Amino acid sequence: MRRPLGATFWFFFFCSLLVLLLACSGSAPPQPVEPSAAGTAQRPPPPMPPDPCQSAGELRKLVPTLLGKGRLDRTVRVIGKANRLCPATAAATWAAEVETLAELGRYAEARRVAQEIEAARSAPEDARKAATAAMEKSARLDRSFADTDEANAAMRRLYGEADRLYAKGDEASLRGAMEKFVAAWEAWRPNGQALVAAGECAKRVGDRPMAQRLFDRAMVDLEKATGEALSLEVPDGFSGPVASVAWSPDGTRLAVAHGGEISIVDTTTRRERARLRAHSMLVNAVAFSPDGKQLASGARSGVVQLWEGSTGALLKTLEGHTGGVTAVAFSPDGKRLASASDDGTVRLWEGRTGALLKTLQGRGVTAVAFSPDGKRLASGSSSGVVQLWEGSRGALLKTLEGHTGGVIAVAFSPDGKRLASGATDNTVRLREASTGALLATLSGHPRRLLTVAFSPDGKRLASGATDKTVRLWEASTGALLKTLEGHTDGVTAVAFSPDGKRLASGSGDKSVRLWEGSTGVLLTTLRGHTSPVTAMMLSPDGKRLVSGSHDGTVRLWEGSTGALLKMLKGHTDGVTAVTLSPDGKRLTSGALDNTVRLWDVSTGALLKDLKGHTSLVSTVALSPDGARLAAGSWDATVQLREASTGALLKTLEGHAGGVTAVAFSPDGKRLAAGSWDKIVRLWEASTGALLKTLEGHADGVTAVAFSPDGKRLASGDLDATVRLWEASTGALLKTLEGHGRGVTAVAFSPDGKRLASGDLDATVRLWEASTGALLEILEGHTSRVTALAFSPDGNVLVSAAEDGSAMLHRVAGGSRLATLRAIEDKDAGYVFTREHIDFTGADLCAARVYPICRFGPLAFPIDVCEERVYVKDLLAKVQAGDTSSAEPEYVADPSPCAAASVASE
């Protein structure tokens, strides 16, 4: 007989209670009920949730292992979770908890736990001893120091000694440096930068547990110092045109000014060690002090800022210029800093304190440089003159004329005997520095000069110009030695490394190139690590995501976890379109190399290389049954092929411009094609007969998509509109307006109720398909959206863009769930949110190069905060709604690459 609802509840409640009681008494739980004679089985009770205290006990067992690995932050979080699950057993880990809190520098929490221990009559003896030690440590270390030269003198001395040991690089020196950095922290704090430096020393000698302890302590100290919590950044290269580059005196760091930011790049590992962000406008110039302890930057806002050279801590902000700062330079002894400005002045500042010493009145000053002995200062002017000043007093010594365009750059030779100036008249002039006599005029750049630099031995002179080249000259004769090509925009900065073996060039193309200093051979390029994602789709079941990129690769991702499954190489130019067969076994890609390629998904093997188009293939689509393949090209044709063999069935002609988009109707009977000729054509898919010509767009059609029921067709164009058509008649139903620049992609939700459209302005718009009402504007991309796809349930929208990312958005509300990004030319990538990151692919170490931990204005490599931000299988957890930042995997190491990176770097 069927039980009433209330009886059912109590039946299962008592069964569950019985199971719990039997488990506690050690007896076996009852077996499942056997089927009755009538053949009807009673359903067993639902499984009981795990016992909270048992779960807490398992967590507490992890504590010794975590501490052995130096994972202080994780230890505290594990104990905290165990305490929440079972407060009654908190005493079991009291000793570890109070010791770890005190070591981390979380002194107030350590005192609270210590007082709790002291108040508990039954507290274990080890806990009481730990509490006493924690109270003593807190009393000794819980203090801040005045930010004065007198207060931090010992810290600066110890830091300098540590820096010198670190530069030697051998194990003994690194261990000595680690001790000195820790001593510097003890001498003046909060000083998380010193702990980070100590952790780097430990990492370099292979002591990962010690490195982790120091990094965990550093995070707490940095949050105290800045008053801001840790945040995760995943920058994709430089934020804007590179305006200036500067080598540290030891050649291990390169400062790069780009946009409104400054990156400190490790020149050995090419990892970005810090990203400095305080200027409100574009940064025009950077320069290291001679001892490398300070970095000066000047910005269009008129402000000069002084930073700590290794950590990036902001030391001083120097104000006074009324125009943009165009150049900065330290005197050779580091005691003076010169800044040039559009306001027509050069200002001399005290190098360490930032006190203003002198203001020199010039004419629209664009460049500044000290002579090697510091006795003279040269400045360049937009009026075309070079002025020579007395270096300490600021008296004007000479005004050198001759350029017919504004002087943009000046540089003294290392021996101080020659002075080079580059100008918008496309020339470099070499002068005798003492007299100003012209020695040579170097011509060769066809466009204006932007930068000049002597090699450290004075034998070579490098120049960069708006012609996108770097030229190497023989400094004594002015003979042209080499022309270095590769930049795709003007070269704005050149600088030789201190040993002269490398030459760095910065450009408006947002890259820095490192060249061999004497031969001009390109060594490496520092730039964005991702290539534009130009195509993307989700498999029908949502289990796979396919992306095509400008780097010529196709990547296959696991849809639930974001794991990078395969990287397919073969195209000789950028991939423009991708699609999966309905059974998920074959993948089709089109590219700028005019070909269509068919791939085996399981093996990654190339099945077919289909040629025939005479221009780039811009779009591909498979019929719903997977039998036919359509490829559109800028040769104005659509080719219909047999999908399994690639055999050509039909060539559809008629468009007067390149075909940009194709789509099959859900029943596979019709094919829509959009073109630069502003027209959408509907064809009969089986015969290739033209059915309809849809006109009305005011600019090139860039995207087409059928609704799931096949009754409507959406098309987008560069006139920033989306048009909805009745698919059977071709009648225009609606015109959706509101895009900012131009529509680049369209997609219907699986239920046909929503329509998504991407824009050149990097946004995505969600519309109600029936009424055309705008529902949401989704932001996050930094360049044009190239592809859109809904998940099978319609709850998630994936957008791909030329910024190299694919973003997952929650359709309801439009919130961003996660971002996927691949590393250019590497089998590596990552999934990240605003708080967490997960690395994926075979080359995990490659993905760890770029993410940054930020504490207010301070930024550090991912090593420092990986313990806190790494979450395994992040995408799966985000899609499941688990966005908590407090509960990442407790037993997993930060990442499989973490240990390996210690030995490799």
Side-chain angles (χ1 to χ4, degrees), residues 249-595:
D250 60 5
T252 61
R253 287 162 290 154
L254 188 69
V256 181
H258 52 95
E261 302 175 340
I262 304 162
S263 291
I264 307 296
V265 179
D266 186 307
T267 57
T268 302
T269 65
R270 299 168 196 159
R271 294 182 66 174
E272 190 169 332
R273 311 305 297 182
R275 183 166 289 213
L276 317 182
R277 188 177 297 149
H279 285 291
S280 59
M281 298 179 72
L282 294 179
V283 181
N284 290 325
V286 287
F288 276 101
S289 61
D291 60 7
K293 293 182 178 179
Q294 288 180 294
L295 176 73
S297 61
R300 188 176 291 179
S301 61
V303 165
V304 176
Q305 292 187 316
L306 288 175
W307 312 80
E308 208 287 324
S310 57
T311 67
L314 181 61
L315 303 174
K316 301 281 182 183
T317 297
L318 314 182
E319 297 178 330
H321 282 296
T322 58
V325 176
T326 54
V328 290
F330 279 96
S331 62
D333 60 8
K335 292 182 178 180
R336 287 158 294 160
L337 172 68
S339 59
S341 172
D342 289 335
D343 64 10
T345 68
V346 176
R347 290 182 179 245
L348 290 176
W349 315 82
E350 208 283 330
R352 192 164 59 82
T353 66
L356 181 63
L357 302 175
K358 291 275 183 184
T359 300
L360 315 182
Q361 191 65 48
R363 315 176 194 173
V365 188
T366 54
V368 67
F370 278 97
S371 62
D373 60 7
K375 293 181 178 180
R376 286 163 296 169
L377 180 72
S379 63
S381 167
S382 57
S383 64
V385 302
V386 176
Q387 292 183 303
L388 284 172
W389 312 81
E390 201 281 324
S392 58
R393 293 181 294 107
L396 181 62
L397 303 175
K398 288 187 182 295
T399 298
L400 311 178
E401 299 179 344
H403 280 294
T404 58
V407 176
I408 304 298
V410 291
F412 280 95
S413 62
D415 61 7
K417 293 180 179 180
R418 286 162 294 166
L419 175 67
S421 57
T424 59
D425 60 9
N426 308 352
T427 67
V428 177
R429 292 187 173 240
L430 283 173
R431 302 173 184 270
E432 188 176 285
S434 58
T435 65
L438 182 64
L439 301 174
T441 299
L442 314 184
S443 301
H445 284 290
R447 300 178 66 183
R448 62 179 183 150
L449 266 291
L450 297 175
T451 177
V452 294
F454 280 96
S455 61
D457 62 6
K459 294 180 179 180
R460 286 156 292 154
L461 179 74
S463 60
T466 55
D467 63 5
K468 309 175 189 177
T469 69
V470 177
R471 295 182 187 237
L472 286 174
W473 313 81
E474 188 172 32
S476 59
T477 66
L480 179 63
L481 301 174
K482 295 277 183 184
T483 298
L484 312 183
E485 298 177 333
H487 282 295
T488 58
D489 205 332
V491 177
T492 54
V494 290
F496 282 93
S497 61
D499 60 7
K501 293 181 179 179
R502 290 167 292 175
L503 172 68
S505 60
S507 167
D509 63 11
K510 301 184 182 181
S511 77
V512 173
R513 290 182 175 242
L514 296 180
W515 315 82
E516 206 284 328
S518 58
T519 66
V521 173
L522 180 64
L523 300 175
T524 191
T525 301
L526 310 177
R527 60 183 173 192
H529 55 278
T530 58
S531 192
V533 177
T534 48
M536 180 272 300
M537 75 160 293
L538 278 172
S539 62
D541 59 8
K543 293 181 179 179
R544 296 287 187 272
L545 186 146
V546 183
S547 63
S549 174
H550 192 67
D551 65 6
T553 64
V554 177
R555 296 172 195 248
L556 190 67
W557 309 76
E558 217 289 322
S560 60
T561 66
L564 181 58
L565 303 175
K566 281 188 172 55
M567 181 171 67
L568 311 180
K569 292 184 175 181
H571 283 293
T572 58
D573 209 333
V575 176
T576 56
V578 292
T579 187
L580 271 174
S581 61
D583 60 9
K585 294 181 179 180
R586 284 167 297 145
L587 189 153
T588 305
S589 58
L592 298 174
D593 59 11
N594 303 358
T595 69

Side-chain angles (χ1 to χ4, degrees), residues 191-205:
N191 187 2
Q193 299 97 310
L195 295 176
V196 170
E200 286 291 333
C201 294
K203 193 178 79 164
R204 285 187 63 184
V205 301

Side-chain angles (χ1 to χ4, degrees), residues 728-745:
S728 59
T729 66
L732 180 63
L733 302 174
K734 292 196 178 293
T735 299
L736 312 183
E737 298 179 337
H739 274 284
R741 291 175 58 193
V743 178
T744 54

